Amino acid sequence: MRFASSAVVFMAVASTVTAFQQTAFKPSRISIVVQQSTSATEAEEKRATKKEERLRMMKSDRFHRRGFKEVREGVESNMEDQFQSPIVNSLRTSNFVMDRDGVKVYLAKDFGFCWGVERSIALAYEAAEHFPDRKLHITNELIHNPEVNENLKAKNVQFIEKLGDGTKNFASVQDGDVVILPAFGASFEEMDYFDKKNVEIVDTTCPWVSKVWNTVDKHQKQGLTSVIHGKYAHEETVATTSFCEDFICVKNFKEAEMVANYILNGGDKDAFMKHFENAVSEGFDPDKHLEKVGLANQTTMYKKETRAIGQLFQKTMMKKFGPVKSKEHYMEFDTICDATQERQDAIHDMVESAQKDGLDFILVIGGWDSSNTAHLLEIPVHAGIRAFHINRAECIGADNTITHRTVDGEIVTTQLLEDMDKEVVMGVTSGASTPDAAVQDSLSQIFLLKKMYDESKK
Ligand code: SF4
């Protein structure tokens, strides 16, 4: 397997201008340019300026989005050594099923590293090779995978310190340093700050994420408020909202229903604003900003839920404004990335044949902060199948325990194999930021556990 080259086509994104000179600040989603009282024309002019400003930043010689050719071959080979897995390769070539040491494994048809993550890692590793004498920083985890982030630390990439109040301390970033922006992007305020400093910026933002930024830009140009299906504090959503002027984030269908209900029936404005206080743009007024809405999403959300939310708003606007007029009040572009969709479809298929295959449980591997991995867990759990989300092989104990993250976000330790005397039958999948090597390590732990038990019985 060869890893993806970092040379890619990028989507244009909207931007804003700010004179931001502090060294510790919150990657605010508050628009610092657009005032609430501007006319539509003035707002449009400001948007044009924002877009131009962002494009100007991206054209700078200090802004790198395409990697560094002279070190590419070495980086590809390094990634192959670090991330590939003979066990996973063997599963791929044996129709995604394997029997070993009393364990039968079904591997999901789509799983693991997505193109955007491979590209992001390649860009970051290439930056470390290309700037061997510079101090390198990264604004956040590159991706939600502990091994990859540890690899970056080993390459002397410094993680910018997060302070207790949610701000970041940029004091360590000095002129001439290199700053890497992670796969899920950085807020405009952060980009603007680094643009004004004399630093090299290596932007590894996944183009699927910048596609969402384009979508919210379209909303704004058409006078729509962006309803973002996402977690307002997630790094990707923080970046997306920094490119919006008017927005509200809904984390699930229940919150979308609250918004739809307000659109149709109004209600207690203070209670509504209290509930969404951290999830709306500055100056948000539900009586004004929910008249016309457009849907966008965090790329890693649960696809079925995003679609259900879209249908809900479509119906809501039809009820309120009638079928013809409703088109002016609701707009939707599909911004769920293919990788998220394919991995969710694959685990759906696994769940559908779980009974036929006799699955005892499904193992879901990925960072505990990984949103796309958390959604992969929800699918079997909601279907009533035992499933465990682990972030690394060490979560599987030699005493037949597993330390895992539940759908409610708790980390708990429970028994793994319920009946060790029979053949273990399991499904396995992994999130978009999980290398195959992590799947191999986790499977090896289970093979060893079963083998040792069987041998102890002899
Ligand atoms: S999951 Fe999708 S949006 Fe996220 S990095 Fe991968 S391809 Fe990009």
Side-chain angles (χ1 to χ4, degrees), residues 113-118 120 143 183-184 204-210 212 236 298-300 335-341 343 372 432-433:
F113 270 177
C114 61
W115 171 83
V117 159
E118 277 186 17
S120 175
I143 57 168
F184 37 69
T204 81
T205 307
C206 176
W208 276 102
V209 173
S210 29
V212 181
E236 182 191 318
Q298 190 180 308
T299 53
T300 50
T335 53
I336 297 169
C337 88
D338 283 349
T340 297
Q341 185 163 333
R343 279 150 192 71
N372 80 83
S433 46

Side-chain angles (χ1 to χ4, degrees), residues 147-391:
E147 285 95 0
V148 170
N149 293 308
E150 281 156 22
N151 287 342
L152 284 175
K153 282 182 192 153
K155 289 177 186 293
N156 285 326
V157 177
Q158 320 274 321
F159 285 65
I160 286 171
E161 185 191 10
K162 280 188 194 164
L163 304 173
D165 58 357
T167 60
K168 288 184 192 170
N169 182 5
F170 288 126
S172 59
V173 181
Q174 300 298 318
D175 281 2
D177 289 355
V178 179
V179 178
I180 300 170
L181 309 180
F184 37 69
S187 73
F188 178 78
E189 290 84 354
E190 288 185 3
M191 292 180 66
D192 185 62
Y193 175 77
F194 293 123
D195 181 63
K196 287 181 169 62
K197 270 190 99 70
N198 183 24
V199 296
E200 305 285 336
I201 300 173
V202 178
D203 181 11
T204 81
T205 307
C206 176
W208 276 102
V209 173
S210 29
K211 185 179 170 191
V212 181
W213 298 349
N214 286 344
T215 297
V216 297
D217 189 63
K218 281 183 199 157
H219 291 163
Q220 207 69 44
K221 281 182 175 147
Q222 305 212 19
L224 304 163
T225 294
S226 296
V227 176
I228 299 168
H229 177 214
K231 297 165 189 163
Y232 68 79
H234 187 282
E235 301 90 333
E236 182 191 318
T237 301
V238 169
T240 297
T241 55
S242 77
F243 291 103
C244 294
E245 285 167 21
D246 305 314
F247 70 85
I248 181 166
C249 296
V250 292
K251 68 172 183 250
N252 52 30
F253 190 77
K254 200 170 156 211
E255 285 197 348
E257 280 183 319
M258 289 172 70
V259 175
N261 188 43
Y262 196 95
I263 291 172
L264 279 180
N265 308 311
D268 183 341
K269 188 167 165 176
D270 290 343
F272 183 90
M273 287 304 293
K274 178 82 193 134
H275 183 89
F276 289 104
E277 65 183 339
N278 295 315
V280 292
S281 42
E282 188 176 311
F284 186 89
D285 178 349
D287 295 329
K288 175 181 163 196
H289 292 114
L290 294 177
E291 275 286 296
K292 291 183 172 186
V293 300
L295 185 66
N297 65 296
Q298 190 180 308
T299 53
T300 50
M301 295 306 275
Y302 187 28
K303 162 187 86 164
K304 287 199 170 169
E305 193 171 51
T306 300
R307 294 226 164 111
I309 290 171
Q311 283 165 2
L312 173 70
F313 283 115
Q314 206 167 22
K315 280 185 197 153
T316 301
M317 292 310 191
M318 277 174 80
K319 256 191 202 166
K320 184 159 181 180
F321 298 104
V324 179
K325 279 252 167 206
S326 69
K327 292 189 181 98
E328 293 166 24
H329 292 265
Y330 179 69
M331 188 189 281
E332 182 181 325
F333 300 96
D334 190 352
T335 53
I336 297 169
C337 88
D338 283 349
T340 297
Q341 185 163 333
E342 285 159 6
R343 279 150 192 71
Q344 289 178 4
D345 290 346
I347 198 162
H348 265 293
D349 292 347
M350 182 179 274
V351 162
E352 272 177 18
S353 50
Q355 205 171 5
K356 172 178 73 63
D357 294 334
L359 295 189
D360 299 320
F361 65 92
I362 294 176
L363 190 65
V364 179
I365 306 161
W368 275 332
D369 290 335
S370 161
S371 174
N372 80 83
T373 311
H375 292 303
L376 294 179
L377 176 74
E378 285 171 14
I379 295 166
V381 168
H382 291 158
I385 295 169
R386 281 184 95 218
F388 305 104
H389 172 186
I390 62 170
N391 71 342

